[in-house]
Amino acid sequence: MAVNFGFALKIPTVVLRYFNVYGPRQSLNNPYTGVIAIFSSRIKNNNPPIIFEDGRQLRDFIYVEDVARANLLALESEREGVYNVGTGKATSILEVANTLIELFDSKVEPKITGEFRVGDNRHDFADISKIKRELKFEPRYSLKQGLEKFVEWGKTREAIDMFEKAEEERKKYLG
């Protein structure tokens, strides 16, 4: 809609499509803030991360500082358009869970349910060739580096595991 209005009203418009953003200050008590925060809350409470399907579904996780830099590049640019903001690298959900378990120095093991969740897509990762080419954006943090910073922060925070409550809600509304 922003692009259409921008075109119609001759207002320069930039749209940034964020992929899975994570980082410090992300709520560890809200089960709707993303899989990294959800897994972290579970692990910190000595509960296994719950993984739907087979754990091999792929996502693109981008550290919040990289997202902030992409926003600055877009603001400072004379360009218009729609840009994917991600790393361009696909990572399995199971790999994320195992990395978090290792970084939190936990002994829990992921629980793979095999259950498909309505509305989930199998793979979701960014093609960042346009933002690299036009805005000169290059992610600086690997997933491991970003998770290390996130976990360092997360170890100092309380985490209330609300996963089961959120799942009850989801199932209630989906029938």
Side-chain angles (χ1 to χ4, degrees), residues 32 164-175:
Y32 304 103
E164 275 89 9
K165 183 178 182 211
E167 273 303 287
E168 287 174 21
E169 259 181 29
R170 182 183 70 87
K171 289 177 180 176
K172 181 174 107 180
Y173 290 112
L174 292 177

Side-chain angles (χ1 to χ4, degrees), residues 91-105:
T91 304
S92 77
I93 296 296
L94 182 58
E95 183 180 338
V96 169
N98 286 329
T99 301
L100 286 168
I101 289 166
E102 174 190 323
L103 292 173
F104 275 110
D105 196 28

Side-chain angles (χ1 to χ4, degrees), residues 55-160:
R56 292 188 187 107
Q57 53 273 48
L58 301 174
R59 299 290 183 270
D60 189 334
F61 296 94
I62 183 160
Y63 189 63
V64 68
E65 288 182 33
D66 282 331
V67 171
R69 207 165 25 73
N71 278 272
L72 286 173
L73 289 169
L75 284 169
E76 294 168 350
S77 172
E78 297 291 323
R79 298 237 184 218
E80 297 179 49
V82 179
Y83 300 93
N84 293 331
V85 180
T87 63
K89 293 180 174 59
T91 304
S92 77
I93 296 296
L94 182 58
E95 183 180 338
V96 169
N98 286 329
T99 301
L100 286 168
I101 289 166
E102 174 190 323
L103 292 173
F104 275 110
D105 196 28
S106 176
K107 302 291 184 233
V108 299
E109 299 216 5
K111 179 181 176 192
I112 299 173
T113 68
E115 176 189 348
F116 173 77
R117 290 186 353 147
V118 173
D120 277 358
N121 50 333
R122 181 71 177 161
H123 305 303
D124 188 14
F125 48 94
D127 174 353
I128 62 169
S129 57
K130 183 178 176 183
I131 195 169
K132 286 172 83 169
R133 182 178 65 252
E134 294 184 8
L135 300 184
K136 308 300 184 229
F137 172 76
E138 193 70 49
R140 292 182 180 161
Y141 290 91
S142 69
L143 179 62
K144 180 82 180 233
Q145 291 168 321
L147 288 178
E148 285 170 349
K149 288 180 72 119
F150 175 77
V151 168
E152 179 183 329
W153 168 84
K155 285 180 176 179
T156 67
R157 299 298 186 265
E158 179 185 18
I160 300 170

Side-chain angles (χ1 to χ4, degrees), residues 19-22 26-42 61 93 96 100 117 150 163:
F19 280 70
N20 296 279
V21 180
Y22 69 96
Q26 184 173 3
S27 176
L28 297 179
N29 303 324
N30 182 337
Y32 304 103
T33 60
V35 71
I36 288 175
I38 294 167
F39 285 177
S40 296
S41 291
R42 303 263 317 150
F61 296 94
I93 296 296
V96 169
L100 286 168
R117 290 186 353 147
F150 175 77
F163 177 80

